[in-house]
Amino acid sequence: MSLSLKHTVIISLIFLIFISIFLFVHHERLHLTSIGDASELSGQKAKIDQPYHNRLNMITMNLNMNMTRLRSNLQFISNQFATDREVDVESIRKHVVKEEPIIATQPLSTAQTIIDSKPIISSSTPLESSLPSDPSNDQVERRGILMCNGKQVDSEVIYWKIVPGDSTYESPITPHHGEHHDRYITFEYDGGGWNNVRMSLESLIVVAHAMGRTLVVPPQQHLYLLGKPHKDKDDKEEHDEMGFADFFDVALLESHRGFHVLHMEDFLRREGVTGGLHGKTPPGNSSDAWGDALWRYLSQVADAKPEWSGRFIAFPAAPGDFNVSSMLRDSAVRARYEAFGGDRIARGTICYDEQLQRAHHIHFPGFQKHRILQHHYAFAFFADPAMQSFYRRFVRDYMRYKDDIQCAGAELLARVRQDSL
């Protein structure tokens, strides 16, 4: 591209940007003039009312944000022309005009005013829930939904998505989705801090789905460093125990066709008090068993208690392929496997085998060699790359904090951003 053409591109883009800002300012000036005229006609010649001040503040904020975008665009253009390579004019155009001009809908205010005011995260039409819509209507990947106070809101905290087909995906390597009510995974919360608890939960979510098993959610318990007394929705007295449903959206997980959830009291009522767990009943023959007595009972009646700490599990691409060696005959799978496992391969890979598939009840204690202190994307290897991708999306889109927590984060972020301008 010649120098003159480069200059033409720069000048044209800058001209378009300034024209858009000029038109915006001109529109706001006309609006302010109408407000000022109305004030004079009402006899308030020396007094500018509060809405007028708010509008001025809002214009200042809008101009600051758009000027920041202008500087970013100019820096991008400058970087494009700073090299000797051919300039991609289309990429410049997309970068500069990929979004509409920022138009703020709230005036600037002091920090105290923001704290005392109503939520400022933008909202739209009220919806019934944040569950994904009917998958048959999803033809393209869409941004996720966040519901705050009964209304759908827009916020940059929304990282999850609604992906066509994901809500009905079932693991292709297990034969017993229709028998998930006879295959269970129980677990104890990890004894460490919340990050350890969260990591192990995400890994267990992936394992349960891949195995086509029902995940049994344990009752609330004392979680390390999370012991502030509080009342849940139906509580009469304060308590400091917390659990799965305090952080994650169980209804969202239950909405997924390939994932199965059961609460501990229902599991004990179905399997424990009926003698379905090797003929042994829970403490007191009660479905309300809790604490150490419950954990000891589950350990005693489990068909398997995996010791997977520091290792990873490999899932085949086809049902019944229970041998790692046969799985790795494909050179592409072997390359991915070696990159995934690294030094951990020497510790012995856990293979999803016939014993794990047939076990009625698998229990994961929360201590010593039973702890899963790895992120799900580093713990579960899938020979099928499509499955590997799905489970990363599954955790992102379904194993997320419940809306109450996300809304608090969205509100906090919105207020900090507004107060910082």
Side-chain angles (χ1 to χ4, degrees):
M1 178 180 286
S2 65
L3 184 60
S4 58
L5 183 53
K6 291 181 180 181
H7 287 170
T8 301
V9 172
I10 294 176
I11 293 172
S12 298
L13 290 172
I14 294 174
F15 176 78
L16 289 173
I17 294 168
F18 273 111
I19 283 296
S20 63
I21 295 177
F22 170 80
L23 291 174
F24 168 72
V25 173
H26 181 64
H27 168 77
E28 297 297 331
R29 183 179 297 167
L30 290 175
H31 183 81
L32 290 174
T33 301
S34 65
I35 295 176
D37 291 342
S39 297
E40 290 185 4
L41 290 173
S42 63
Q44 301 177 1
K45 294 181 180 180
K47 180 181 179 181
I48 302 177
D49 58 12
Q50 187 60 39
Y52 189 84
H53 274 298
N54 288 344
R55 198 65 179 176
L56 282 172
N57 285 334
M58 189 168 65
I59 290 176
T60 302
M61 180 169 61
N62 283 322
L63 288 177
N64 285 337
M65 289 188 291
N66 280 289
M67 288 304 296
T68 299
R69 174 172 291 171
L70 174 60
R71 286 193 294 270
S72 173
N73 288 334
L74 292 178
Q75 182 62 48
F76 181 87
I77 296 170
S78 176
N79 291 340
Q80 284 282 320
F81 288 116
T83 64
D84 294 332
R85 62 180 174 81
E86 197 69 29
V87 175
D88 185 357
V89 177
E90 182 63 15
S91 68
I92 296 177
R93 186 192 68 78
K94 289 181 179 179
H95 179 87
V96 173
V97 301
K98 64 181 178 181
E99 297 177 1
E100 295 296 322
I102 301 173
I103 306 296
T105 58
Q106 293 284 337
L108 289 172
S109 58
T110 63
Q112 188 58 45
T113 301
I114 294 175
I115 292 174
D116 295 337
S117 65
K118 295 180 179 179
I120 61 175
I121 45 181
S122 60
S123 62
S124 57
T125 308
L127 296 179
E128 293 183 359
S129 73
S130 60
L131 300 183
S133 59
D134 184 348
S136 63
N137 295 328
D138 292 340
Q139 302 301 321
V140 296
E141 182 177 292
R142 296 188 289 114
R143 195 163 182 244
I145 296 173
L146 177 62
M147 300 295 296
C148 300
N149 298 319
K151 293 184 177 181
Q152 182 179 340
V153 303
D154 182 28
S155 172
E156 59 190 291
V157 304
I158 302 174
Y159 60 84
W160 55 95
K161 298 180 180 180
I162 299 174
V163 182
D166 275 8
S167 64
T168 58
Y169 182 87
E170 293 185 335
S171 172
I173 60 174
T174 176
H176 51 64
H177 275 287
E179 302 173 1
H180 63 85
H181 58 277
D182 196 42
R183 302 287 191 276
Y184 302 98
I185 286 181
T186 60
F187 66 93
E188 303 172 31
Y189 295 111
D190 189 87
W194 175 247
N195 193 50
N196 290 344
V197 175
R198 179 190 57 79
M199 280 196 300
S200 63
L201 287 177
E202 289 177 350
S203 293
L204 288 171
I205 289 287
V206 169
V207 168
H209 188 287
M211 292 183 177
R213 291 180 170 272
T214 293
L215 185 76
V216 180
V217 177
Q220 293 178 321
Q221 70 178 64
H222 301 286
L223 297 180
Y224 180 59
L225 298 179
L226 294 174
K228 183 177 180 180
H230 65 284
K231 283 186 177 181
D232 294 325
K233 183 178 179 181
D234 299 321
D235 288 341
K236 295 181 179 180
E237 298 181 359
E238 287 189 340
H239 59 90
D240 61 2
E241 297 87 6
M242 303 187 81
F244 192 97
D246 290 303
F247 299 95
F248 302 105
D249 191 340
V250 177
L252 179 61
L253 282 166
E254 288 177 332
S255 72
H256 194 283
R257 179 170 144 185
F259 191 76
H260 317 290
V261 188
L262 193 67
H263 291 278
M264 182 61 73
E265 56 268 29
D266 296 322
F267 170 71
L268 294 177
R269 192 178 298 115
R270 178 188 295 180
E271 295 287 336
V273 299
T274 61
L277 300 174
H278 299 288
K280 298 180 180 180
T281 58
N285 197 24
S286 171
S287 60
D288 295 326
W290 184 83
D292 290 340
L294 172 61
W295 305 139
R296 285 195 297 270
Y297 168 71
L298 293 175
S299 292
Q300 291 170 1
V301 299
D303 296 308
K305 292 185 294 182
E307 296 183 355
W308 292 352
S309 182
R311 302 163 70 191
F312 70 97
I313 184 169
F315 288 94
D321 186 4
F322 297 134
N323 189 296
V324 173
S325 298
S326 63
M327 185 193 312
L328 300 180
R329 289 171 186 165
D330 186 304
S331 59
V333 174
R334 175 178 289 277
R336 290 180 49 246
Y337 168 83
E338 292 176 349
F340 184 94
D343 295 339
R344 295 179 298 169
I345 295 176
R347 303 173 193 170
T349 303
I350 307 144
C351 187
Y352 178 58
D353 57 17
E354 193 170 6
Q355 181 181 0
L356 284 175
Q357 187 179 84
R358 290 184 175 181
H360 175 61
H361 169 216
I362 300 175
H363 179 64
F364 287 86
F367 54 87
Q368 297 179 349
K369 295 182 180 181
H370 304 286
R371 302 174 75 189
I372 302 177
L373 298 181
Q374 300 180 76
H375 292 290
H376 65 94
Y377 48 79
F379 174 70
F381 171 81
F382 295 89
D384 183 353
M387 290 182 68
Q388 195 86 57
S389 296
F390 165 77
Y391 284 108
R392 291 177 180 176
R393 298 194 306 273
F394 180 62
V395 172
R396 179 195 68 188
D397 300 336
Y398 286 86
M399 185 62 178
R400 61 177 179 83
Y401 290 128
K402 59 198 298 186
D403 279 0
D404 289 347
I405 298 175
Q406 301 286 1
C407 291
E411 177 67 10
L412 177 62
L413 182 58
R415 293 184 178 189
V416 168
R417 284 198 176 280
Q418 185 176 14
D419 193 46
S420 66
L421 295 171

